Amino acid sequence: MAPTGSSSPAPRAELDSVWIVIPLFNEAEVIAGVVHDIKTQFKNVVCVDDGSSDESAVLAKTAGAIVLQHPMNLGQGAALQTGFDYVVSRPEATHVVTFDADGQHRLRDAVEMAELALTKRISVIYGSRFLDKRTKPGLKKRIVLKVAALMTRVFTGLRLTDAHNGLRVLSREALGKVRLEQNGMSHASEIVHQLAKSRLSWREHPVEVLYTEYSKKKGQSLLNSINILIDLIVR
Amino acid sequence: MLSQWILVGAFVFVGFYLLKARRSSNQQAIRRLFIVLALIGGLLAALFPEYTNVLAGLVGVGRGADLLLYAVVVFGLFYAVYQYRRQLWQEKVNTDLARALTLTQAKLDQALGDRDEA
């Protein structure tokens, strides 16, 4: 599909085999801008609308994304897995980039990570906000994320600095190793768990997370890490 | 005391069930057996309440009423755990179904889009 806005540069051809997957749930305020922005670099954007009650799906479609719609709200993990299944069904797809709908990720980081995966042939690249000084999370947020990273390290042996970052790149091979069964927020740990078991090549890449007033409303609480822990043990 | 060993064993079993149980016909048979036993036990306790005291004495619990209370707690807990696992399974089925529907719809949209363009 041709970009509609005359000011938009064409997506970059070398990124054509990369698919952006965005789990989408009631983000009407921001989703059009996020998709529009991504479309300047990536041709393939798929939003998985997880039963939004607002106009998110229509807005994403108008902005140029392919929109898959869950018939009801299942959770972010379920939405990601649906997106993964869809991308795998596209024979030309080589990589997937998971990207949050709320505008907290930077497109530049996603492009860098995709290029890295394509040129260096790394199967999995995890975004981390703790590898440089750009991101300024509050103290509470920092504690929550560090606890999550520590838990991930204990469970998987993977030395991640940021376990719950929504920006990641997975190769097609890596997608074959992932089967998310945690529908809720515990999928972030689950995905690392499954990929760690696969022993595919991986690295972390520094990314900036933008804490806007909008994205702050949707953050996770410290108590929720208990939920995540239990979800991972009881399956 | 014998009753303590039985209780500890029962709680360990419930914990194990929470973590490890998989759906299988053996599991279902065991659950059904438990229910039948509970029914028979309840019936006997209602008909011959004095024997609950005797049984309580045998396993080292003071009174028959205490024995029944322990049994109720263990069965109640087991039931809660069983329902929790069942709900997890049900959620998975729902998810698989919803996902299949979503992906089918996407394929359909794509096919229709391709046809319109042609």
Side-chain angles (χ1 to χ4, degrees):
Chain A
M1 192 194 292
T4 42
S6 54
S7 59
S8 310
R12 294 169 46 183
E14 66 270 27
L15 297 175
D16 275 2
S17 69
V18 180
W19 282 72
I20 306 284
V21 169
I22 305 176
L24 180 58
F25 180 61
N26 292 345
E27 306 277 7
E29 271 180 60
V30 290
I31 188 60
V34 170
V35 171
H36 194 79
D37 199 26
I38 295 173
K39 287 291 275 187
T40 62
Q41 302 287 318
F42 294 92
K43 186 178 86 174
N44 301 306
V45 181
V46 54
C47 289
V48 185
D49 175 44
D50 194 24
S52 295
S53 54
D54 62 9
E55 294 295 291
S56 292
V58 175
L59 290 166
K61 195 172 273 182
T62 311
I66 290 173
V67 177
L68 312 179
Q69 278 187 287
H70 280 171
M72 61 220 179
N73 181 247
L74 294 170
Q76 197 179 49
L80 275 179
Q81 185 61 56
T82 300
F84 292 168
D85 284 359
Y86 181 79
V87 171
V88 168
S89 79
R90 309 293 301 222
E92 77 281 9
T94 61
H95 290 80
V96 90
V97 176
T98 66
F99 202 93
D100 285 354
D102 60 8
Q104 65 168 310
H105 296 317
R106 300 200 67 134
L107 178 62
R108 190 154 50 98
D109 292 331
V111 171
E112 274 176 27
M113 287 165 68
E115 282 171 344
L116 199 63
L118 285 164
T119 56
K120 303 261 166 147
R121 300 190 155 277
I122 299 163
S123 297
V124 187
I125 302 177
Y126 301 101
S128 171
R129 75 201 85 183
F130 294 118
L131 290 179
D132 60 25
K133 299 281 172 211
R134 280 183 294 168
T135 306
K136 308 265 182 291
L139 180 67
K140 195 178 143 225
K141 189 106 197 156
R142 191 178 282 272
I143 293 171
V144 171
L145 291 164
K146 282 297 169 191
V147 169
L150 184 70
M151 262 161 48
T152 304
R153 187 185 287 196
V154 170
F155 273 89
T156 66
L158 232 50
R159 290 174 167 263
L160 290 180
T161 55
D162 184 1
H164 283 232
N165 197 300
L167 189 53
R168 325 168 182 83
V169 182
L170 277 72
S171 69
R172 195 180 184 91
E173 191 188 6
L175 285 180
K177 310 284 184 190
V178 170
R179 192 79 224 160
L180 296 176
E181 292 193 338
Q182 297 296 340
N183 284 356
M185 291 311 291
S186 308
H187 68 273
S189 306
E190 191 182 27
I191 201 169
V192 177
H193 206 130
Q194 294 177 352
L195 289 170
K197 250 193 259 174
S198 75
R199 304 202 165 272
L200 290 168
S201 55
W202 66 277
R203 75 160 64 165
E204 280 189 318
H205 189 77
V207 302
E208 179 177 10
V209 172
L210 304 165
Y211 292 108
T212 58
E213 280 308 313
Y214 182 78
S215 73
K216 269 189 213 158
K217 280 192 301 198
K218 307 208 166 196
Q220 292 188 60
S221 73
L222 188 56
L223 270 178
N224 199 34
S225 49
I226 295 174
N227 284 333
I228 292 173
L229 187 65
I230 303 258
D231 279 345
L232 289 175
I233 298 171
V234 179
R235 276 177 288 186
Chain B
M1 261 196 308
L2 184 59
S3 62
Q4 283 177 315
W5 287 107
I6 295 173
L7 272 178
V8 169
F11 284 119
V12 169
F13 173 77
V14 172
F16 184 77
Y17 193 87
L18 175 65
L19 294 178
K20 287 289 167 211
R22 294 284 171 266
R23 286 179 72 82
S24 73
S25 48
N26 279 352
Q27 295 275 351
Q28 193 183 34
I30 292 172
R31 274 196 309 276
R32 288 174 171 174
L33 195 65
F34 263 106
I35 291 172
V36 171
L37 287 178
L39 274 175
I40 295 174
L43 200 66
L44 290 177
L47 289 176
F48 312 108
E50 62 278 13
Y51 284 103
T52 59
N53 279 326
V54 177
L55 192 61
L58 284 178
V59 297
V61 182
R63 302 177 306 151
D66 293 339
L67 185 70
L68 288 184
L69 179 65
Y70 287 144
V72 166
V73 168
V74 169
F75 271 94
L77 193 63
F78 179 76
Y79 184 74
V81 165
Y82 166 66
Q83 284 299 334
Y84 176 65
R85 290 222 62 109
R86 208 178 131 82
Q87 186 203 329
L88 286 184
W89 178 79
Q90 197 67 54
E91 266 171 27
K92 186 173 155 10
V93 171
N94 270 340
T95 301
D96 290 347
L97 184 66
R99 180 168 298 134
L101 188 68
T102 302
L103 292 171
T104 306
Q105 182 69 45
K107 258 186 216 147
L108 197 67
D109 288 350
Q110 203 184 330
L112 289 176
D114 289 350
R115 197 191 59 185
D116 290 348
E117 271 172 34

